[in-house]
Amino acid sequence: FHIPQRTQNPIGQSAAVQSGSGKIQGDLPLDIGVVMAKDLTTRFRGLVEGGQFTSRMEAEVKARIGVDEIPEIYQKLEHLVNSRWASRRTLGRDWTISRKDRYYQKDDQGKVMQDANGLPMVHPVKDRYYDSNGRDLAKNHVAIRFREMVGDEVGKLNIKPGEGTMVEDNIFRRIEYGMDVDPSIKTNPGLLASFFNSVEHLNPFRHISDKLGINSQHVLRPSMDLEAKRYKFVLEHKNGTEIEISVDDVVCTVLDQRGNPMKNPDGSLKQGRFGQIEFDLEHLQTQSSQVVNN
């Protein structure tokens, strides 16, 4: 499904759904959410009745930054949020910038808590990635990820079945599938093997199986944990286009097959730390507002 777009002065995403007029410049992906039917959740373990299967087209730019650069970058973005003059001078009159502080930690008085670097303390985003012992998924730019965030009532499993496409201006695009799953899937992903090996049309693992010719049980093994402190801002254009900015401080830990942290010969954990900045193009169905019952 696609949203037609105008050749001149592309309209905002919300208006594009309501209007359908205008010449097609290039189709914009329309993300889909499908409710998990009781019949499906009864037959396959790990799925959540009333949860969703989702799909979205990622459109993003990522860049590696030094961890020591994060405080300075954060403060510059904060300055744009707090100074209308600086924002207009830097971004122009058609763009505005705001802060997303949903995951900031606050004290009993509701004041945002800060760390030693003057950055707000945030609830981290926790990701667990799965793979085979030989890292078959990583070698083929494929990812299966379980994500945890504060406030989530169910588990979130994401599947990225390919390396995607790089287009003009270094914007990277690829499909991402999502599933609401039982939280126990994090430590026992094998519960999904029956569904992933099925021929159900909503099974996103089919795309991986078709590409690599592998059984899901071969790759449903803990591989790595990532814990990210994310500082988020949103750029919004007057036409409705939104770009989410994430400044991330990430610690990654290598896992054994049981999900336990692996250690180096000296007893230290096999860990790494890096910084990155990500620009993610938001569009109407990022939150899966177009939901249909299966």
Side-chain angles (χ1 to χ4, degrees), residues 49-197:
E49 183 179 348
Q52 286 189 45
F53 295 103
T54 61
S55 70
R56 68 181 294 261
M57 175 68 77
E58 288 186 317
E60 62 185 17
V61 175
K62 286 186 179 181
R64 183 67 59 88
I65 57 176
V67 173
D68 57 346
E69 296 179 271
I70 291 177
E72 180 182 0
I73 293 173
Y74 172 84
Q75 294 299 336
K76 286 182 177 180
L77 290 169
E78 272 288 316
H79 179 59
L80 295 181
V81 170
N82 296 319
S83 172
R84 185 177 181 183
W85 177 85
S87 174
R88 285 194 171 187
R89 181 183 179 189
T90 304
L91 305 174
R93 292 180 175 272
D94 295 338
W95 289 92
T96 57
I97 184 170
S98 58
R99 178 194 316 108
K100 293 183 70 172
D101 57 5
R102 176 182 175 187
Y103 298 107
Y104 284 10
Q105 297 186 39
K106 300 178 181 179
D107 60 22
D108 294 339
Q109 286 71 46
K111 184 179 179 179
V112 175
M113 302 169 65
Q114 294 185 331
D115 63 18
N117 293 316
L119 295 173
M121 297 179 66
V122 295
H123 296 287
V125 177
K126 299 180 180 181
D127 292 332
R128 172 161 291 186
Y129 285 82
Y130 306 93
D131 208 335
S132 67
N133 290 339
R135 303 292 189 261
D136 292 311
L137 297 187
K139 290 176 182 177
N140 288 278
H141 308 282
V142 173
I144 300 178
R145 177 187 71 194
F146 184 96
R147 170 161 287 183
E148 295 177 279
M149 300 181 73
V150 171
D152 286 345
E153 296 181 359
V154 298
K156 304 289 185 180
L157 195 81
N158 298 112
I159 291 181
K160 304 182 181 187
E163 56 187 323
T165 304
M166 184 74 75
V167 296
E168 66 278 2
D169 299 325
N170 295 320
I171 298 175
F172 182 76
R173 285 184 169 87
R174 70 172 170 180
I175 294 289
E176 176 182 21
Y177 299 97
M179 299 168 49
D180 289 334
V181 296
D182 189 283
S184 64
I185 293 299
K186 177 180 179 178
T187 55
N188 192 6
L191 290 175
L192 291 173
S194 178
F195 177 65
F196 279 170
N197 294 331

Side-chain angles (χ1 to χ4, degrees), residues 238-261:
K238 67 178 183 180
N239 69 5
T241 301
E242 290 187 4
I243 299 173
E244 183 179 81
I245 304 174
S246 293
V247 182
D248 301 339
D249 183 347
V250 187
V251 174
C252 51
T253 305
V254 181
L255 305 176
D256 63 22
Q257 295 185 33
R258 296 184 177 181
N260 298 317

